[in-house]
Amino acid sequence: MKKTFHVKTSNHSQMIDITSELEAWIREENIKEGILIVSSLHTTAGITVNENADPDVKKDFLMRLDEVFPWEHPQDRHAEGNTASHLKTSTVGHAQTLIISDGKLELGTWQGVYFCEFDGPRSRRYIGKMIEG
């Protein structure tokens, strides 16, 4: 099963928790065991798994990425001016492979799945592919 999801981001850099949307899809499809692959369809937005309990983690995460990959760098040559967003996406990754167990995502107590915007605000898409078994 494959599904396309839509997300509207509101900030230049942002982490949006998509865990509940993915778990709702798993319930809807009644998948008990399997694998879920989630992939961003953009070169300037990624998918990651990280803590979802303390909102400061997202703030710190984005702040540190900005320190490593500043938006403006005198040696950047990319005509669109968004080299930092491409580097952040490659660092975070465009996709995650997740385990479905007993009808739910197999995540740690404090873990959530995030869509990471690095060049917003924009209307974005990501896809999920479930493999039952």
Side-chain angles (χ1 to χ4, degrees):
M1 284 141 262
K2 181 177 124 181
K3 183 174 181 175
T4 301
F5 297 87
H6 298 271
V7 61
K8 179 116 177 96
T9 63
S10 57
N11 294 317
H12 180 40
S13 292
Q14 184 176 5
M15 293 174 70
I16 299 170
D17 191 340
I18 59 173
T19 311
S20 60
E21 190 169 34
L22 296 172
E23 289 186 327
W25 182 40
I26 292 167
R27 286 190 304 276
E28 180 183 301
E29 296 294 337
N30 198 29
I31 302 297
K32 296 299 178 198
E33 302 291 328
I35 300 224
L36 171 58
I37 301 164
V38 184
S39 178
S40 166
L41 297 173
H42 307 279
T43 60
T44 58
I47 305 286
T48 194
V49 174
N50 213 306
E51 181 177 329
N52 68 350
D54 183 346
D56 284 337
V57 171
K58 293 188 297 186
K59 239 170 48 179
D60 292 349
F61 187 93
L62 295 172
M63 176 188 65
R64 293 299 184 100
L65 281 174
D66 284 341
E67 288 175 2
V68 175
F69 305 114
W71 190 250
E72 293 182 21
H73 191 284
Q75 294 179 359
D76 286 348
R77 298 293 175 251
H78 183 48
E80 291 180 11
N82 61 354
T83 298
S85 60
H86 291 281
L87 292 166
K88 291 173 185 179
T89 299
S90 289
T91 299
V92 167
H94 79 281
Q96 293 290 318
T97 302
L98 306 162
I99 297 169
I100 301 167
S101 184
D102 198 25
K104 297 188 310 189
L105 289 176
E106 189 76 40
L107 295 169
T109 303
W110 309 112
Q111 288 182 317
V113 185
Y114 288 94
F115 181 89
C116 301
E117 172 65 76
F118 299 124
D119 194 19
R122 295 186 186 220
S123 293
R124 299 292 202 165
R125 294 177 301 137
Y126 63 94
I127 59 171
K129 173 78 173 174
M130 277 194 277
I131 303 164
E132 191 171 10

